[in-house]
Amino acid sequence: MAPQRRDSPRFGRVICAMVTPFDAEGALDLDGAAELARWLVACGNDGLVVAGTTGESPTLSHDEQIDLIAAVTDAVEVPVLAGAGSNDTAAAVELTERATSAGAAGILSVAPYYNRPPQAGLYDHFRAVCDATPLPVVIYDIPVRTGRKVDTATLLRLAQDTENMAGIKDAAGDPAETGRLIAAAPAGFEVYSGDDALTLPLLAVGAVGVIGVATHWTAAEHVEMFDAWGRGDLSAARAINAALGPSFDYETGLAAPNPIPTKALLRVLGRPAGRCRPPMDAEPPGLAEDAKATLATTRLGRELGFG
């Protein structure tokens, strides 16, 4: 893993929530995952998340998740955050222990989904995950998928009571509340945007980076936006963010939820992806043409002749 500058976020600024490539039969494509990971880093991503929601973790076995984490960590020198969440605390602890042994740089642990535990249960769950690894743990708060918000008070308590609760991937859709969390959090606590369209607003309240989906094909623009923000050129940052709008619109929707559109776009680019596993394998007609139109609005697409 390449060292980060001391003034850099722990895992970098632009982190790609990587899809999981499958072959034509739907089997895990580890060679394709390694190839895709190297390409994503070459495109400008500072780090990668593997076996997360975009990586179709609900359809991966635990053994597949660990094989994927090991393959990607071996392929790149940037930080790799391992998706190791579950709505079963014992399973999350086991996955966290195994991901640690597989070489991950950190753990991404999604809030327990569907069973909707109380805040006391969320605290105990994440405390057990933190206790299971010496690695930094990033909590993934995405109530639209999990059905339960991790309250600010719970996050602050975890940050204060553990040595390795390092921050959150924030997809809660409430930048004002995120600002309150950041203002009260201890030194070293980092917030990463987990909603591409809210990255710039979250930077305004103190976020340090993005764990993104569109960064599969817009890493260069994201780097430029962060650079502009860092030097105080807010006009340039807003302009780049506006230009990224078509990519944000494309990456998910009711007819084609994430990661269906991303895999379609990667296939257009000739990159390892395959199709999603059921039940996410149903693609609406015309998605490849939508992918080409989206690419035409991006630097990568224009360089490759789509624009």
Short mmCIF file of all heavy atoms in Angstrom, two decimals, residues 86-158:
data_model
loop_
_atom_site.label_atom_id
_atom_site.label_comp_id
_atom_site.label_asym_id
_atom_site.label_seq_id
_atom_site.Cartn_x
_atom_site.Cartn_y
_atom_site.Cartn_z
N SER A 86 -22.79 -6.97 7.89
CA SER A 86 -23.88 -7.94 7.95
C SER A 86 -24.92 -7.42 8.93
O SER A 86 -24.61 -6.59 9.79
CB SER A 86 -23.37 -9.31 8.41
OG SER A 86 -24.44 -10.22 8.57
N ASN A 87 -26.15 -7.93 8.82
CA ASN A 87 -27.15 -7.63 9.84
C ASN A 87 -27.12 -8.67 10.97
O ASN A 87 -27.96 -8.64 11.86
CB ASN A 87 -28.55 -7.52 9.25
CG ASN A 87 -29.02 -8.79 8.57
OD1 ASN A 87 -28.24 -9.72 8.35
ND2 ASN A 87 -30.30 -8.84 8.23
N ASP A 88 -26.14 -9.55 10.93
CA ASP A 88 -25.88 -10.54 11.97
C ASP A 88 -24.52 -10.18 12.58
O ASP A 88 -23.49 -10.24 11.90
CB ASP A 88 -25.86 -11.93 11.35
CG ASP A 88 -25.38 -13.02 12.29
OD1 ASP A 88 -25.16 -12.74 13.49
OD2 ASP A 88 -25.20 -14.16 11.82
N THR A 89 -24.49 -9.79 13.83
CA THR A 89 -23.25 -9.32 14.44
C THR A 89 -22.16 -10.38 14.38
O THR A 89 -21.00 -10.08 14.07
CB THR A 89 -23.49 -8.87 15.88
OG1 THR A 89 -24.45 -7.80 15.89
CG2 THR A 89 -22.19 -8.39 16.53
N ALA A 90 -22.51 -11.63 14.65
CA ALA A 90 -21.50 -12.69 14.61
C ALA A 90 -20.90 -12.83 13.22
O ALA A 90 -19.68 -13.02 13.06
CB ALA A 90 -22.12 -14.02 15.06
N ALA A 91 -21.74 -12.72 12.19
CA ALA A 91 -21.24 -12.81 10.81
C ALA A 91 -20.36 -11.61 10.48
O ALA A 91 -19.32 -11.75 9.81
CB ALA A 91 -22.40 -12.89 9.83
N ALA A 92 -20.73 -10.42 10.92
CA ALA A 92 -19.92 -9.23 10.67
C ALA A 92 -18.56 -9.35 11.35
O ALA A 92 -17.54 -8.96 10.78
CB ALA A 92 -20.66 -7.98 11.15
N VAL A 93 -18.54 -9.89 12.55
CA VAL A 93 -17.27 -10.07 13.26
C VAL A 93 -16.39 -11.08 12.52
O VAL A 93 -15.19 -10.85 12.32
CB VAL A 93 -17.53 -10.52 14.71
CG1 VAL A 93 -16.26 -11.06 15.35
CG2 VAL A 93 -18.10 -9.35 15.52
N GLU A 94 -16.98 -12.18 12.09
CA GLU A 94 -16.21 -13.19 11.36
C GLU A 94 -15.63 -12.62 10.06
O GLU A 94 -14.45 -12.81 9.76
CB GLU A 94 -17.07 -14.41 11.04
CG GLU A 94 -16.33 -15.48 10.25
CD GLU A 94 -17.25 -16.44 9.52
OE1 GLU A 94 -18.48 -16.25 9.53
OE2 GLU A 94 -16.71 -17.38 8.91
N LEU A 95 -16.47 -11.92 9.31
CA LEU A 95 -16.00 -11.33 8.06
C LEU A 95 -14.90 -10.29 8.30
O LEU A 95 -13.93 -10.20 7.55
CB LEU A 95 -17.17 -10.67 7.33
CG LEU A 95 -17.96 -11.55 6.36
CD1 LEU A 95 -19.18 -10.79 5.86
CD2 LEU A 95 -17.09 -11.98 5.19
N THR A 96 -15.06 -9.51 9.35
CA THR A 96 -14.05 -8.52 9.69
C THR A 96 -12.72 -9.17 10.01
O THR A 96 -11.66 -8.73 9.55
CB THR A 96 -14.54 -7.66 10.87
OG1 THR A 96 -15.71 -6.93 10.47
CG2 THR A 96 -13.48 -6.70 11.35
N GLU A 97 -12.75 -10.23 10.79
CA GLU A 97 -11.52 -10.95 11.13
C GLU A 97 -10.86 -11.53 9.88
O GLU A 97 -9.64 -11.43 9.69
CB GLU A 97 -11.82 -12.05 12.14
CG GLU A 97 -12.23 -11.54 13.50
CD GLU A 97 -12.73 -12.63 14.44
OE1 GLU A 97 -13.11 -13.73 13.93
OE2 GLU A 97 -12.77 -12.40 15.65
N ARG A 98 -11.67 -12.09 9.00
CA ARG A 98 -11.12 -12.70 7.79
C ARG A 98 -10.61 -11.64 6.81
O ARG A 98 -9.57 -11.84 6.16
CB ARG A 98 -12.17 -13.59 7.12
CG ARG A 98 -12.56 -14.81 7.94
CD ARG A 98 -13.59 -15.67 7.23
NE ARG A 98 -13.03 -16.28 6.02
CZ ARG A 98 -13.76 -17.00 5.16
NH1 ARG A 98 -15.06 -17.16 5.35
NH2 ARG A 98 -13.17 -17.53 4.09
N ALA A 99 -11.31 -10.53 6.70
CA ALA A 99 -10.86 -9.45 5.82
C ALA A 99 -9.55 -8.85 6.33
O ALA A 99 -8.68 -8.47 5.54
CB ALA A 99 -11.93 -8.37 5.72
N THR A 100 -9.40 -8.78 7.63
CA THR A 100 -8.14 -8.30 8.21
C THR A 100 -6.99 -9.21 7.81
O THR A 100 -5.93 -8.74 7.38
CB THR A 100 -8.27 -8.24 9.74
OG1 THR A 100 -9.35 -7.36 10.10
CG2 THR A 100 -6.99 -7.73 10.37
N SER A 101 -7.21 -10.51 7.90
CA SER A 101 -6.17 -11.47 7.53
C SER A 101 -5.89 -11.45 6.03
O SER A 101 -4.78 -11.80 5.60
CB SER A 101 -6.58 -12.88 7.97
OG SER A 101 -6.71 -12.96 9.38
N ALA A 102 -6.88 -11.06 5.23
CA ALA A 102 -6.72 -11.05 3.77
C ALA A 102 -5.93 -9.85 3.26
O ALA A 102 -5.63 -9.78 2.07
CB ALA A 102 -8.09 -11.08 3.09
N GLY A 103 -5.60 -8.91 4.14
CA GLY A 103 -4.73 -7.82 3.74
C GLY A 103 -5.38 -6.47 3.55
O GLY A 103 -4.74 -5.55 3.04
N ALA A 104 -6.64 -6.32 3.95
CA ALA A 104 -7.31 -5.03 3.78
C ALA A 104 -6.62 -3.95 4.60
O ALA A 104 -5.99 -4.21 5.63
CB ALA A 104 -8.78 -5.15 4.21
N ALA A 105 -6.76 -2.70 4.13
CA ALA A 105 -6.22 -1.56 4.86
C ALA A 105 -7.22 -1.02 5.88
O ALA A 105 -6.85 -0.30 6.80
CB ALA A 105 -5.83 -0.45 3.90
N GLY A 106 -8.48 -1.35 5.69
CA GLY A 106 -9.52 -0.90 6.59
C GLY A 106 -10.79 -1.68 6.34
O GLY A 106 -10.90 -2.44 5.36
N ILE A 107 -11.76 -1.51 7.22
CA ILE A 107 -13.04 -2.22 7.16
C ILE A 107 -14.16 -1.22 6.93
O ILE A 107 -14.23 -0.19 7.60
CB ILE A 107 -13.30 -2.99 8.48
CG1 ILE A 107 -12.19 -4.00 8.76
CG2 ILE A 107 -14.67 -3.67 8.43
CD1 ILE A 107 -12.04 -5.10 7.74
N LEU A 108 -15.02 -1.52 5.96
CA LEU A 108 -16.25 -0.76 5.75
C LEU A 108 -17.40 -1.62 6.25
O LEU A 108 -17.65 -2.70 5.71
CB LEU A 108 -16.44 -0.42 4.28
CG LEU A 108 -17.68 0.43 3.96
CD1 LEU A 108 -17.53 1.84 4.55
CD2 LEU A 108 -17.91 0.52 2.46
N SER A 109 -18.08 -1.14 7.28
CA SER A 109 -19.11 -1.95 7.95
C SER A 109 -20.45 -1.24 7.86
O SER A 109 -20.68 -0.21 8.51
CB SER A 109 -18.72 -2.18 9.42
OG SER A 109 -19.54 -3.15 10.02
N VAL A 110 -21.34 -1.79 7.04
CA VAL A 110 -22.64 -1.18 6.83
C VAL A 110 -23.52 -1.41 8.06
O VAL A 110 -23.40 -2.42 8.76
CB VAL A 110 -23.31 -1.75 5.57
CG1 VAL A 110 -23.72 -3.20 5.75
CG2 VAL A 110 -24.51 -0.90 5.14
N ALA A 111 -24.41 -0.45 8.32
CA ALA A 111 -25.36 -0.61 9.41
C ALA A 111 -26.24 -1.83 9.17
O ALA A 111 -26.63 -2.11 8.03
CB ALA A 111 -26.23 0.63 9.53
N PRO A 112 -26.54 -2.59 10.21
CA PRO A 112 -27.41 -3.77 10.04
C PRO A 112 -28.72 -3.38 9.36
O PRO A 112 -29.35 -2.39 9.71
CB PRO A 112 -27.63 -4.24 11.48
CG PRO A 112 -26.42 -3.80 12.21
CD PRO A 112 -26.06 -2.47 11.60
N TYR A 113 -29.08 -4.18 8.37
CA TYR A 113 -30.21 -3.88 7.51
C TYR A 113 -31.37 -4.83 7.78
O TYR A 113 -31.21 -5.92 8.31
CB TYR A 113 -29.79 -4.00 6.04
CG TYR A 113 -28.81 -5.15 5.80
CD1 TYR A 113 -29.26 -6.45 5.61
CD2 TYR A 113 -27.44 -4.92 5.86
CE1 TYR A 113 -28.36 -7.49 5.44
CE2 TYR A 113 -26.54 -5.96 5.70
CZ TYR A 113 -27.00 -7.25 5.48
OH TYR A 113 -26.11 -8.28 5.35
N TYR A 114 -32.54 -4.41 7.45
CA TYR A 114 -33.79 -5.15 7.51
C TYR A 114 -34.28 -5.37 8.94
O TYR A 114 -35.44 -5.10 9.24
CB TYR A 114 -33.71 -6.49 6.76
CG TYR A 114 -35.04 -7.21 6.71
CD1 TYR A 114 -36.06 -6.76 5.89
CD2 TYR A 114 -35.30 -8.31 7.53
CE1 TYR A 114 -37.29 -7.39 5.87
CE2 TYR A 114 -36.53 -8.94 7.52
CZ TYR A 114 -37.52 -8.47 6.69
OH TYR A 114 -38.75 -9.08 6.69
N ASN A 115 -33.44 -5.88 9.85
CA ASN A 115 -33.94 -6.13 11.21
C ASN A 115 -34.05 -4.85 12.04
O ASN A 115 -34.65 -4.86 13.10
CB ASN A 115 -33.09 -7.18 11.93
CG ASN A 115 -31.60 -6.97 11.80
OD1 ASN A 115 -31.14 -5.93 11.35
ND2 ASN A 115 -30.83 -7.97 12.19
N ARG A 116 -33.43 -3.73 11.58
CA ARG A 116 -33.63 -2.40 12.16
C ARG A 116 -33.44 -2.38 13.68
O ARG A 116 -34.36 -2.08 14.43
CB ARG A 116 -35.00 -1.85 11.78
CG ARG A 116 -35.23 -1.77 10.28
CD ARG A 116 -36.63 -1.27 9.92
NE ARG A 116 -36.75 0.16 10.15
CZ ARG A 116 -37.61 0.70 11.00
NH1 ARG A 116 -38.41 -0.06 11.72
NH2 ARG A 116 -37.67 2.01 11.16
N PRO A 117 -32.24 -2.67 14.16
CA PRO A 117 -32.02 -2.69 15.61
C PRO A 117 -32.11 -1.30 16.23
O PRO A 117 -31.95 -0.28 15.53
CB PRO A 117 -30.59 -3.24 15.74
CG PRO A 117 -29.95 -2.94 14.44
CD PRO A 117 -31.03 -3.03 13.41
N PRO A 118 -32.34 -1.23 17.54
CA PRO A 118 -32.33 0.07 18.22
C PRO A 118 -30.92 0.63 18.27
O PRO A 118 -29.94 -0.07 17.98
CB PRO A 118 -32.86 -0.26 19.62
CG PRO A 118 -32.45 -1.68 19.84
CD PRO A 118 -32.57 -2.34 18.48
N GLN A 119 -30.80 1.88 18.67
CA GLN A 119 -29.48 2.51 18.71
C GLN A 119 -28.53 1.78 19.66
O GLN A 119 -27.33 1.65 19.37
CB GLN A 119 -29.61 3.98 19.11
CG GLN A 119 -30.32 4.84 18.08
CD GLN A 119 -29.63 4.88 16.74
OE1 GLN A 119 -28.41 5.05 16.66
NE2 GLN A 119 -30.39 4.73 15.65
N ALA A 120 -29.05 1.26 20.74
CA ALA A 120 -28.20 0.50 21.66
C ALA A 120 -27.66 -0.76 20.98
O ALA A 120 -26.50 -1.14 21.19
CB ALA A 120 -28.98 0.12 22.92
N GLY A 121 -28.49 -1.39 20.14
CA GLY A 121 -28.04 -2.55 19.40
C GLY A 121 -27.01 -2.19 18.34
O GLY A 121 -26.06 -2.94 18.10
N LEU A 122 -27.20 -1.03 17.69
CA LEU A 122 -26.21 -0.56 16.71
C LEU A 122 -24.88 -0.30 17.39
O LEU A 122 -23.81 -0.66 16.86
CB LEU A 122 -26.71 0.70 16.03
CG LEU A 122 -27.89 0.54 15.07
CD1 LEU A 122 -28.39 1.90 14.60
CD2 LEU A 122 -27.52 -0.32 13.88
N TYR A 123 -24.90 0.32 18.56
CA TYR A 123 -23.66 0.57 19.29
C TYR A 123 -22.95 -0.75 19.59
O TYR A 123 -21.74 -0.89 19.34
CB TYR A 123 -23.94 1.33 20.58
CG TYR A 123 -22.71 1.48 21.44
CD1 TYR A 123 -21.85 2.55 21.27
CD2 TYR A 123 -22.41 0.53 22.42
CE1 TYR A 123 -20.70 2.68 22.04
CE2 TYR A 123 -21.27 0.64 23.20
CZ TYR A 123 -20.42 1.72 23.01
OH TYR A 123 -19.27 1.82 23.77
N ASP A 124 -23.67 -1.70 20.14
CA ASP A 124 -23.05 -2.99 20.49
C ASP A 124 -22.51 -3.70 19.25
O ASP A 124 -21.44 -4.33 19.30
CB ASP A 124 -24.07 -3.88 21.21
CG ASP A 124 -24.43 -3.37 22.59
OD1 ASP A 124 -23.68 -2.53 23.14
OD2 ASP A 124 -25.47 -3.81 23.12
N HIS A 125 -23.25 -3.62 18.15
CA HIS A 125 -22.83 -4.27 16.91
C HIS A 125 -21.50 -3.69 16.43
O HIS A 125 -20.54 -4.43 16.17
CB HIS A 125 -23.92 -4.07 15.84
CG HIS A 125 -23.56 -4.57 14.48
ND1 HIS A 125 -23.85 -5.85 14.07
CD2 HIS A 125 -22.95 -3.95 13.43
CE1 HIS A 125 -23.42 -6.01 12.82
NE2 HIS A 125 -22.87 -4.88 12.41
N PHE A 126 -21.43 -2.37 16.30
CA PHE A 126 -20.22 -1.76 15.78
C PHE A 126 -19.07 -1.84 16.79
O PHE A 126 -17.90 -1.92 16.39
CB PHE A 126 -20.49 -0.31 15.38
CG PHE A 126 -21.32 -0.18 14.13
CD1 PHE A 126 -22.53 0.49 14.15
CD2 PHE A 126 -20.89 -0.74 12.94
CE1 PHE A 126 -23.29 0.61 13.00
CE2 PHE A 126 -21.64 -0.64 11.78
CZ PHE A 126 -22.85 0.04 11.82
N ARG A 127 -19.39 -1.85 18.06
CA ARG A 127 -18.33 -2.03 19.07
C ARG A 127 -17.70 -3.42 18.90
O ARG A 127 -16.47 -3.57 18.98
CB ARG A 127 -18.91 -1.87 20.48
CG ARG A 127 -17.89 -1.98 21.60
CD ARG A 127 -16.92 -0.81 21.59
NE ARG A 127 -15.84 -1.00 22.54
CZ ARG A 127 -15.83 -0.47 23.76
NH1 ARG A 127 -16.86 0.26 24.18
NH2 ARG A 127 -14.81 -0.65 24.56
N ALA A 128 -18.52 -4.43 18.63
CA ALA A 128 -17.99 -5.78 18.41
C ALA A 128 -17.13 -5.84 17.16
O ALA A 128 -16.08 -6.51 17.14
CB ALA A 128 -19.14 -6.79 18.32
N VAL A 129 -17.54 -5.14 16.10
CA VAL A 129 -16.74 -5.10 14.87
C VAL A 129 -15.40 -4.43 15.14
O VAL A 129 -14.34 -4.93 14.73
CB VAL A 129 -17.52 -4.36 13.76
CG1 VAL A 129 -16.60 -4.05 12.57
CG2 VAL A 129 -18.70 -5.20 13.30
N CYS A 130 -15.40 -3.30 15.82
CA CYS A 130 -14.15 -2.60 16.12
C CYS A 130 -13.23 -3.46 16.98
O CYS A 130 -12.01 -3.46 16.79
CB CYS A 130 -14.45 -1.28 16.82
SG CYS A 130 -15.17 -0.01 15.76
N ASP A 131 -13.80 -4.19 17.91
CA ASP A 131 -13.00 -5.05 18.78
C ASP A 131 -12.41 -6.24 18.04
O ASP A 131 -11.47 -6.87 18.54
CB ASP A 131 -13.85 -5.56 19.95
CG ASP A 131 -14.17 -4.47 20.97
OD1 ASP A 131 -13.53 -3.39 20.91
OD2 ASP A 131 -15.07 -4.68 21.81
N ALA A 132 -12.94 -6.56 16.85
CA ALA A 132 -12.52 -7.75 16.11
C ALA A 132 -11.31 -7.49 15.21
O ALA A 132 -10.82 -8.43 14.59
CB ALA A 132 -13.68 -8.28 15.26
N THR A 133 -10.84 -6.23 15.14
CA THR A 133 -9.76 -5.92 14.20
C THR A 133 -8.92 -4.77 14.73
O THR A 133 -9.45 -3.87 15.40
CB THR A 133 -10.32 -5.54 12.82
OG1 THR A 133 -9.23 -5.26 11.93
CG2 THR A 133 -11.23 -4.33 12.89
N PRO A 134 -7.63 -4.77 14.41
CA PRO A 134 -6.82 -3.58 14.71
C PRO A 134 -6.93 -2.52 13.61
O PRO A 134 -6.42 -1.41 13.77
CB PRO A 134 -5.39 -4.15 14.77
CG PRO A 134 -5.41 -5.29 13.81
CD PRO A 134 -6.80 -5.90 13.94
N LEU A 135 -7.59 -2.85 12.50
CA LEU A 135 -7.70 -1.94 11.37
C LEU A 135 -8.69 -0.82 11.67
O LEU A 135 -9.62 -0.98 12.47
CB LEU A 135 -8.17 -2.69 10.12
CG LEU A 135 -7.27 -3.78 9.58
CD1 LEU A 135 -7.92 -4.45 8.38
CD2 LEU A 135 -5.89 -3.23 9.22
N PRO A 136 -8.54 0.33 10.99
CA PRO A 136 -9.56 1.37 11.10
C PRO A 136 -10.88 0.90 10.51
O PRO A 136 -10.91 0.22 9.48
CB PRO A 136 -8.98 2.54 10.29
CG PRO A 136 -7.93 1.94 9.42
CD PRO A 136 -7.42 0.74 10.13
N VAL A 137 -11.96 1.24 11.18
CA VAL A 137 -13.30 0.83 10.77
C VAL A 137 -14.08 2.08 10.35
O VAL A 137 -14.15 3.07 11.09
CB VAL A 137 -14.04 0.11 11.91
CG1 VAL A 137 -15.50 -0.18 11.51
CG2 VAL A 137 -13.32 -1.19 12.28
N VAL A 138 -14.66 2.03 9.16
CA VAL A 138 -15.52 3.09 8.66
C VAL A 138 -16.95 2.54 8.64
O VAL A 138 -17.22 1.50 8.03
CB VAL A 138 -15.10 3.53 7.24
CG1 VAL A 138 -16.09 4.55 6.67
CG2 VAL A 138 -13.69 4.10 7.26
N ILE A 139 -17.84 3.21 9.33
CA ILE A 139 -19.24 2.81 9.36
C ILE A 139 -19.95 3.39 8.13
O ILE A 139 -19.78 4.56 7.79
CB ILE A 139 -19.91 3.30 10.65
CG1 ILE A 139 -19.36 2.51 11.85
CG2 ILE A 139 -21.44 3.17 10.58
CD1 ILE A 139 -19.84 3.01 13.19
N TYR A 140 -20.75 2.54 7.49
CA TYR A 140 -21.50 2.97 6.31
C TYR A 140 -22.94 3.20 6.73
O TYR A 140 -23.67 2.27 7.08
CB TYR A 140 -21.41 1.88 5.24
CG TYR A 140 -22.06 2.21 3.91
CD1 TYR A 140 -22.46 3.49 3.57
CD2 TYR A 140 -22.27 1.20 2.97
CE1 TYR A 140 -23.04 3.77 2.35
CE2 TYR A 140 -22.84 1.47 1.74
CZ TYR A 140 -23.23 2.75 1.44
OH TYR A 140 -23.80 3.02 0.22
N ASP A 141 -23.33 4.47 6.71
CA ASP A 141 -24.68 4.86 7.14
C ASP A 141 -25.51 5.20 5.91
O ASP A 141 -25.32 6.25 5.29
CB ASP A 141 -24.58 6.06 8.08
CG ASP A 141 -25.91 6.41 8.72
OD1 ASP A 141 -26.78 5.52 8.81
OD2 ASP A 141 -26.08 7.57 9.15
N ILE A 142 -26.42 4.30 5.56
CA ILE A 142 -27.26 4.49 4.37
C ILE A 142 -28.67 4.03 4.69
O ILE A 142 -29.11 2.94 4.31
CB ILE A 142 -26.66 3.77 3.13
CG1 ILE A 142 -27.53 4.00 1.89
CG2 ILE A 142 -26.37 2.30 3.42
CD1 ILE A 142 -26.89 3.63 0.58
N PRO A 143 -29.42 4.85 5.42
CA PRO A 143 -30.74 4.42 5.90
C PRO A 143 -31.73 4.07 4.80
O PRO A 143 -32.65 3.29 5.04
CB PRO A 143 -31.21 5.60 6.74
CG PRO A 143 -30.33 6.74 6.39
CD PRO A 143 -29.04 6.17 5.94
N VAL A 144 -31.56 4.62 3.57
CA VAL A 144 -32.49 4.27 2.50
C VAL A 144 -32.41 2.78 2.17
O VAL A 144 -33.40 2.18 1.71
CB VAL A 144 -32.23 5.13 1.25
CG1 VAL A 144 -30.91 4.76 0.59
CG2 VAL A 144 -33.38 5.01 0.25
N ARG A 145 -31.25 2.16 2.40
CA ARG A 145 -31.11 0.72 2.16
C ARG A 145 -31.26 -0.10 3.44
O ARG A 145 -31.72 -1.23 3.38
CB ARG A 145 -29.75 0.42 1.52
CG ARG A 145 -29.65 0.78 0.04
CD ARG A 145 -28.33 0.32 -0.54
NE ARG A 145 -28.14 0.68 -1.94
CZ ARG A 145 -28.39 -0.13 -2.97
NH1 ARG A 145 -28.84 -1.34 -2.76
NH2 ARG A 145 -28.18 0.28 -4.21
N THR A 146 -30.84 0.44 4.56
CA THR A 146 -30.84 -0.36 5.79
C THR A 146 -32.13 -0.24 6.59
O THR A 146 -32.46 -1.13 7.36
CB THR A 146 -29.67 0.05 6.70
OG1 THR A 146 -29.88 1.40 7.15
CG2 THR A 146 -28.34 -0.06 5.98
N GLY A 147 -32.83 0.88 6.44
CA GLY A 147 -34.05 1.08 7.20
C GLY A 147 -33.82 1.68 8.57
O GLY A 147 -34.77 1.91 9.33
N ARG A 148 -32.56 2.00 8.91
CA ARG A 148 -32.27 2.57 10.23
C ARG A 148 -31.09 3.53 10.14
O ARG A 148 -30.00 3.16 9.70
CB ARG A 148 -31.96 1.46 11.24
CG ARG A 148 -31.57 1.96 12.63
CD ARG A 148 -32.76 2.53 13.39
NE ARG A 148 -33.58 1.46 13.91
CZ ARG A 148 -34.91 1.53 14.06
NH1 ARG A 148 -35.55 2.61 13.68
NH2 ARG A 148 -35.58 0.52 14.56
N LYS A 149 -31.29 4.78 10.56
CA LYS A 149 -30.22 5.75 10.66
C LYS A 149 -29.36 5.46 11.88
O LYS A 149 -29.88 5.13 12.95
CB LYS A 149 -30.82 7.15 10.78
CG LYS A 149 -29.82 8.27 11.04
CD LYS A 149 -29.14 8.69 9.77
CE LYS A 149 -28.18 9.86 10.02
NZ LYS A 149 -26.95 9.45 10.75
N VAL A 150 -28.05 5.56 11.72
CA VAL A 150 -27.16 5.51 12.88
C VAL A 150 -27.09 6.93 13.44
O VAL A 150 -26.54 7.84 12.80
CB VAL A 150 -25.75 5.01 12.51
CG1 VAL A 150 -24.91 4.84 13.78
CG2 VAL A 150 -25.83 3.69 11.75
N ASP A 151 -27.65 7.14 14.60
CA ASP A 151 -27.77 8.49 15.14
C ASP A 151 -26.40 9.10 15.42
O ASP A 151 -25.43 8.41 15.73
CB ASP A 151 -28.58 8.47 16.43
CG ASP A 151 -30.07 8.27 16.20
OD1 ASP A 151 -30.50 8.33 15.02
OD2 ASP A 151 -30.80 8.05 17.19
N THR A 152 -26.35 10.43 15.35
CA THR A 152 -25.12 11.14 15.64
C THR A 152 -24.59 10.79 17.03
O THR A 152 -23.38 10.59 17.21
CB THR A 152 -25.36 12.66 15.52
OG1 THR A 152 -25.68 12.97 14.17
CG2 THR A 152 -24.15 13.46 15.96
N ALA A 153 -25.47 10.71 18.01
CA ALA A 153 -25.02 10.37 19.37
C ALA A 153 -24.36 8.99 19.42
O ALA A 153 -23.38 8.79 20.14
CB ALA A 153 -26.21 10.44 20.33
N THR A 154 -24.90 8.04 18.64
CA THR A 154 -24.32 6.70 18.61
C THR A 154 -22.94 6.73 17.95
O THR A 154 -21.98 6.11 18.44
CB THR A 154 -25.25 5.74 17.83
OG1 THR A 154 -26.53 5.74 18.45
CG2 THR A 154 -24.69 4.33 17.81
N LEU A 155 -22.81 7.46 16.86
CA LEU A 155 -21.52 7.57 16.17
C LEU A 155 -20.48 8.23 17.06
O LEU A 155 -19.32 7.79 17.14
CB LEU A 155 -21.69 8.36 14.88
CG LEU A 155 -22.51 7.67 13.79
CD1 LEU A 155 -22.88 8.66 12.69
CD2 LEU A 155 -21.77 6.48 13.21
N LEU A 156 -20.86 9.29 17.77
CA LEU A 156 -19.92 9.98 18.64
C LEU A 156 -19.50 9.09 19.80
O LEU A 156 -18.32 9.07 20.20
CB LEU A 156 -20.54 11.28 19.16
CG LEU A 156 -20.73 12.38 18.13
CD1 LEU A 156 -21.50 13.55 18.72
CD2 LEU A 156 -19.39 12.86 17.58
N ARG A 157 -20.42 8.34 20.33
CA ARG A 157 -20.09 7.43 21.43
C ARG A 157 -19.10 6.37 20.97
O ARG A 157 -18.13 6.04 21.67
CB ARG A 157 -21.37 6.78 21.97
CG ARG A 157 -21.18 5.92 23.20
CD ARG A 157 -22.49 5.35 23.65
NE ARG A 157 -22.29 4.32 24.66
CZ ARG A 157 -23.14 3.33 24.90
NH1 ARG A 157 -24.26 3.23 24.17
NH2 ARG A 157 -22.88 2.44 25.84
N LEU A 158 -19.32 5.83 19.77
CA LEU A 158 -18.39 4.84 19.23
C LEU A 158 -17.01 5.45 18.98
O LEU A 158 -15.98 4.83 19.28
CB LEU A 158 -18.94 4.26 17.93
CG LEU A 158 -20.08 3.26 18.08
CD1 LEU A 158 -20.86 3.12 16.76
CD2 LEU A 158 -19.55 1.90 18.53
#
